[in-house]
Amino acid sequence: MLPAVFADDDLAQRFVAGLDDVFAPLLNVLDCLDTYFDPALTPVDFARWLGTWVGAETDGGEPEHRLRAAVAAAARLHRVRGTRRGLSEAVRLAFGVAPDITESGGANWSARPLGPFPGTPRPRLHVAVRLPHPTPADTHRLDTLVAAARPAHMPYTVEVTAAERTPQR
């Protein structure tokens, strides 16, 4: 694609060929740029960086499929942050199991004023997770995750226990 005057020049041809080698990786990335922002298609190292960019709750040690799921769900989880559903989904994405969540709140309505309040007067939140092979690091990870995803005013406790093993048939 050089002008005709340079098409037969050996030096110009070699110079342009060198530029092709330099710019080819850059052009390849630009051609595929949209796939870098898709958590299902991006390389794993870029998915980890993308997770920090969107605020995904990851610790760097999760398997690849859980990392990609957490990055893909990050924006949706920010919309429900501080709710029971948001906390449950964040724990499920981090550990791969559904948590048992016990809280003190409640909602009710009454046709007459001064009705009884639902729930208990003291706020509390307890999150329990059953894992096949729990470690102390799992308890720390759950504590960190609940501290970030709970309602700000809510005191909490966490518990990680071993899942009951059922005989395989």
Side-chain angles (χ1 to χ4, degrees), residues 1-73:
M1 297 190 52
L2 290 173
V5 75
F6 297 115
D8 294 331
D9 186 6
D10 186 47
L11 176 64
Q13 291 292 330
R14 286 183 292 157
F15 180 73
V16 172
L19 289 177
D20 284 344
D21 291 341
V22 171
F23 286 122
L26 177 64
L27 295 174
N28 188 28
V29 168
L30 289 176
D31 286 342
C32 303
L33 189 62
D34 58 329
T35 61
Y36 277 86
F37 296 103
D38 184 348
L41 301 175
T42 190
V44 176
D45 58 337
F46 197 83
R48 290 195 194 290
W49 178 81
L50 192 58
T52 63
W53 196 37
V54 296
E57 298 287 343
T58 61
D59 66 351
E62 57 276 332
E64 180 181 338
H65 69 281
R66 261 199 247 152
L67 168 71
R68 292 180 186 280
V71 172

Side-chain angles (χ1 to χ4, degrees), residues 59-148:
D59 66 351
E62 57 276 332
E64 180 181 338
H65 69 281
R66 261 199 247 152
L67 168 71
R68 292 180 186 280
V71 172
R76 182 175 43 84
L77 283 177
H78 287 306
R79 286 193 296 268
V80 293
R81 191 178 200 112
T83 66
R84 181 185 183 116
R85 186 179 76 169
L87 178 61
S88 178
E89 182 69 14
V91 172
R92 188 189 63 74
L93 283 170
F95 291 98
V97 297
D100 295 323
I101 299 175
T102 308
E103 59 182 329
S104 61
N108 198 2
W109 72 276
S110 176
R112 294 181 308 194
L114 302 177
F117 288 108
T120 58
R122 272 210 161 142
R124 65 178 171 75
L125 172 68
H126 180 75
V127 180
V129 175
R130 295 182 181 275
L131 299 175
H133 305 288
T135 65
D138 293 329
T139 304
H140 177 70
R141 172 79 174 121
L142 181 62
D143 185 63
T144 304
L145 185 65
V146 171

